[in-house]
Amino acid sequence: MTSTSFQRYAACFAVIIAAMMLISATALGQSRGKAKRVKVVKEREPKAAMRTRDCSVESELTSTEQAAILADHNKARMALKLPPLKWDCGLASMAQSWANAGKFRHRDDPSVGENLFVSNNASEPISTVVPDWLDEKPNYDAKSGDCLPDTVCTHYSQIMWRETTSVGCGINRHLTDKWLVFVVCNYSPAGNTGGPAY
């Protein structure tokens, strides 16, 4: 092999080695770049709306009454093209527990919405409950999300709250004081959290 041939061979070999080193360095840089871009996602506590609720307290509403009260909610929501609500046994269990307590007041639990209904008619039909709450519609200012002065509208706005996806209700028909029937519906995610409902 002549010295000229050897020099050419050595030059080619040096070019090949340099190219291989460049390719390796580029690949290493890219893999390091990818490693830097990996996002660490911290595990978060599930939102209240997504938590699984205990369904151990069975609603005293019959299955027909449950279907009727859900249908009444969804008929009203459909009129405003809002997504339908789904029945949630955990919310129904919460509602039944509160109805069983027989105290006509809201619980202190901001993780759920709550509508209450009472009647002094022991045979009050379930079909009157949701329409009673919907009667508040004229009191509701849809632009501001507020009730008109000196009125109540929050039962209506909870039913119509766009982000609410689930409802469950319970009933107590065993009261003996002024009120003989007590209906509780709980909602998730809770409505009436600020701004317009829809």
Side-chain angles (χ1 to χ4, degrees), residues 136-158:
E136 297 174 357
K137 181 178 181 178
N139 305 337
Y140 183 68
D141 183 338
K143 289 183 181 176
S144 68
D146 295 324
C147 300
L148 298 179
D150 303 319
T151 67
V152 176
C153 70
T154 51
H155 301 95
Y156 169 77
S157 55
Q158 173 56 83

Side-chain angles (χ1 to χ4, degrees), residues 108-146:
D108 299 321
D109 185 351
S111 72
V112 294
E114 186 168 71
N115 280 354
L116 307 178
F117 173 91
V118 287
S119 174
N120 57 10
N121 176 5
S123 57
E124 185 77 41
I126 204 67
S127 59
T128 62
V129 175
V130 174
D132 183 71
W133 293 331
L134 294 174
D135 282 346
E136 297 174 357
K137 181 178 181 178
N139 305 337
Y140 183 68
D141 183 338
K143 289 183 181 176
S144 68
D146 295 324

Side-chain angles (χ1 to χ4, degrees), residues 134-186:
L134 294 174
D135 282 346
E136 297 174 357
K137 181 178 181 178
N139 305 337
Y140 183 68
D141 183 338
K143 289 183 181 176
S144 68
D146 295 324
C147 300
L148 298 179
D150 303 319
T151 67
V152 176
C153 70
T154 51
H155 301 95
Y156 169 77
S157 55
Q158 173 56 83
I159 290 171
M160 300 308 222
W161 201 261
R162 182 182 297 277
E163 281 76 31
T164 297
T165 58
S166 304
V167 64
C169 305
I171 191 168
N172 185 339
R173 294 184 174 100
H174 315 293
L175 302 175
T176 56
D177 291 331
K178 178 181 179 182
W179 306 119
L180 301 178
V181 175
F182 181 26
V183 178
V184 180
C185 285
N186 287 131

Side-chain angles (χ1 to χ4, degrees), residues 45-60:
E45 175 125 359
K47 292 183 179 179
M50 304 304 287
R51 289 188 194 128
T52 303
R53 290 185 172 83
D54 178 18
C55 297
S56 62
V57 180
E58 192 172 333
S59 176
E60 289 188 21

